[in-house]
Amino acid sequence: MQGRTNFIFIVADDLGFADLGCYGARVPVSPVLDAVAARGLRFTQGYANSPVCSPTRFALMTARYQYRLRGAAEEPINSRSRGSTVLGLPPDHPTVPSLLLDAGYRTALIGKWHLGYPPAFSPIKSGYEEFFGPMSGGVDYFSHCDSRGTHDLFEGEHEHREDGYLTDLISRRSAEWIDRIAPSNAPFFLSVHYTAPHWPWETRDDAHVAAEVKDNLFHLHGGSIHTYRRMIQHMDEGVGWILAALERHGALANTLVVFTSDNGGERFSDNWPLVGGKMDLTEGGIRVPWIAHWPDAIAPGGTCEQLCMTMDWSATVLDAAGVDADPRHPLDGVSLLSVLRAPDRTFDRPLYWRMNHRQQRALRRGRWKYLKVDAHEYLFDLPADERERANRGTREPDRLASMRADWEAWNTTMPPIPGDATVSLGYGLEAMPQR
């Protein structure tokens, strides 16, 4: 198949940076993705726009800092937002899929949405021709019910009931969509947003757990590292089904396949050597895997140290498709197309974050990271100290002051955090040194 570039953007949910074999996992859980990385390009300094689910997804969809939209101030959007006309992705805001759809691409989201509830918000209202999956953040893998016990599996904007393990349903639907769309020779953009390995902790063989967790989907009383790893294996196998569908139609070479996670790992993530996790602006909360596979443009077997975050990959998709941004909503994301083709030609890319939770702020600039948690400030030399244990702030006060000023200048360009924004409980920072 020749013609315009196709795109498959695969997002895992709460997968830590080091949870895949190609990123240092201690056991072989991801043979498919490891092979994809070996045939493509693996980024070692890539980040999520946020350490929590829905804010990152706002950035993924818009290629802009999530802080520009009210709904992204929720950390994250939760089921109490049902019925809200404010807490979601505004249908009139241009998105990557809406811009591609207008340019002649076929578009679909198969998997998690988590950007507001119907009738005000939905994937169909934001550029996807087709949608299959849950609207909320976390659902049971078998009953497909959310944390309030509400059934949450949709086909388009209509509730849909279908038996099966959700990870497999997402994988099979994705492969079937490719089988249906690829023969038309129209270019396509497919978002595959897994809920794995997000809680509840259920493998294909754990249907009995659904009754046990229906009143507490957080599953605080169960799960294990073994279950978590098996959930990753199921997702990895499904990625193989999707790639096989591309191969069946001769579309693999001309398709940019991107794999990542929406934020760092949670609870059972074996994320050595990083510390912290979901909800944290420590490395464990925001550094994530980024794998790119595109035989027509990417040389196999490479690694890249380019600093990047979620919205940069969204900008890359638009650049590779030859589609311009809406001038009313200029992109904050920066295209990575040049480093996909020449991984050693990295460029300067400062990255900024802020969180309502514990009043966190962070800036990554070159090898240095500025971090503030509550009233405590830190300066880390990350290549020398990925675990963020050696606070260099007192040794290099001028650098600390410069990075603080840089972050504060950036923050003035963003809307303030609304006073009524909510923060989910149940997550927390690993104890940081208080000095």
Side-chain angles (χ1 to χ4, degrees):
M1 176 183 289
Q2 299 297 322
R4 301 174 71 183
T5 303
N6 306 307
F7 304 97
I8 298 184
F9 210 119
I10 306 173
V11 183
D13 198 348
D14 290 4
L15 179 78
F17 173 77
D19 284 335
L20 301 179
C22 56
Y23 280 91
R26 304 185 195 206
V27 296
V29 296
S30 52
V32 173
L33 286 165
D34 296 347
V36 172
R39 297 192 302 265
L41 184 61
R42 183 173 61 89
F43 283 69
T44 61
Q45 303 292 313
Y47 291 87
N49 261 71
S50 172
V52 65
C53 308
S54 57
T56 289
R57 294 168 194 272
F58 278 93
L60 174 65
M61 292 291 290
T62 65
R64 306 177 83 220
Y65 272 114
Q66 64 272 24
Y67 316 108
R68 299 189 183 280
L69 291 171
R70 171 60 186 90
E74 304 297 294
E75 298 177 353
I77 285 177
N78 57 49
S79 59
R80 292 189 298 275
S81 302
R82 289 185 185 275
S84 173
T85 59
V86 175
L87 302 181
L89 178 59
D92 61 348
H93 194 293
T95 64
V96 173
S98 72
L99 293 168
L100 292 175
L101 181 65
D102 290 345
Y105 274 75
R106 305 298 304 273
T107 62
L109 167 58
I110 299 176
K112 175 175 172 175
W113 168 241
H114 204 188
L115 290 173
Y117 293 94
F121 311 104
S122 82
I124 302 302
K125 289 180 170 64
S126 288
Y128 290 110
E129 296 176 290
E130 299 182 38
F131 169 62
F132 170 83
M135 294 284 186
S136 59
V139 298
D140 183 84
Y141 287 82
F142 294 95
S143 70
H144 312 141
C145 290
D146 69 10
S147 56
R148 290 193 163 191
T150 302
H151 182 261
D152 186 359
L153 186 62
F154 282 75
E155 184 100 53
E157 295 185 331
H158 302 286
E159 186 181 0
H160 173 80
R161 293 187 179 269
E162 182 173 345
D163 292 336
Y165 182 64
L166 185 56
T167 300
D168 291 343
L169 293 180
I170 292 170
S171 299
R172 291 196 181 99
R173 281 292 189 114
S174 299
E176 290 166 2
W177 188 86
I178 294 168
D179 284 335
R180 178 160 48 86
I181 297 300
S184 71
N185 289 324
F188 57 81
F189 173 74
L190 173 61
S191 297
V192 183
H193 293 183
Y194 286 104
T195 60
H198 192 287
W199 47 258
W201 316 112
E202 297 169 325
T203 73
R204 282 187 194 130
D205 302 320
D206 292 330
H208 62 282
V209 176
E212 175 188 324
V213 302
K214 66 182 179 66
D215 297 320
N216 181 8
L217 210 60
F218 288 93
H219 206 179
L220 294 171
H221 58 283
S224 70
I225 183 62
H226 309 292
T227 297
Y228 179 79
R229 287 169 173 165
R230 187 66 177 149
M231 293 169 74
I232 295 172
Q233 288 178 315
H234 296 331
M235 176 182 64
D236 182 76
E237 183 178 0
V239 172
W241 303 344
I242 294 167
L243 297 177
L246 288 175
E247 289 187 295
R248 281 195 294 274
H249 299 283
L252 189 61
N254 192 38
T255 300
L256 171 57
V257 179
V258 177
F259 177 88
T260 190
S261 178
D262 59 352
N263 48 252
E266 196 233 338
R267 221 171 306 180
F268 294 112
S269 178
D270 187 16
N271 214 15
W272 179 264
L274 308 182
V275 299
K278 186 174 183 176
M279 293 295 286
D280 306 353
L281 290 183
T282 51
E283 291 295 283
I286 50 177
R287 199 188 298 191
V288 293
W290 283 103
I291 299 171
H293 181 272
W294 186 12
D296 278 357
I298 296 175
T303 60
C304 184
E305 296 184 352
Q306 175 64 53
L307 297 185
C308 59
M309 67 197 321
T310 309
M311 64 186 182
D312 296 334
W313 290 88
S314 305
T316 303
V317 168
L318 294 176
D319 189 14
V323 173
D324 293 331
D326 186 318
R328 297 168 300 169
H329 302 274
L331 306 186
D332 296 311
V334 177
S335 174
L336 304 169
L337 198 55
S338 62
V339 293
L340 293 184
R341 292 171 170 151
D344 58 333
R345 297 181 184 175
T346 58
F347 56 87
D348 182 51
R349 177 67 174 121
L351 306 174
Y352 303 85
W353 296 265
R354 72 183 189 195
M355 286 288 286
N356 199 17
H357 175 59
R358 296 193 64 179
Q359 301 300 295
Q360 298 174 76
R361 58 172 72 171
L363 162 61
R364 176 79 194 265
R365 191 172 67 197
R367 64 185 296 127
W368 295 95
K369 180 177 177 181
Y370 165 64
L371 175 67
K372 186 175 181 182
V373 181
D374 297 323
H376 306 285
E377 289 188 312
Y378 307 90
L379 179 68
F380 297 117
D381 178 1
L382 285 182
D385 179 29
E386 288 182 296
R387 284 184 64 75
E388 299 171 284
R389 301 289 86 179
N391 186 3
R392 302 287 299 178
T394 57
R395 293 291 187 95
E396 302 196 46
D398 291 344
R399 188 186 302 277
L400 176 65
S402 173
M403 295 190 74
R404 180 195 304 119
D406 188 349
W407 186 92
E408 290 174 346
W410 164 82
N411 192 47
T412 64
T413 69
M414 297 293 146
I417 298 174
D420 61 348
T422 60
V423 178
S424 291
L425 302 177
Y427 307 107
L429 277 149
E430 177 173 316
M432 295 291 293
Q434 304 297 296
R435 60 182 185 275

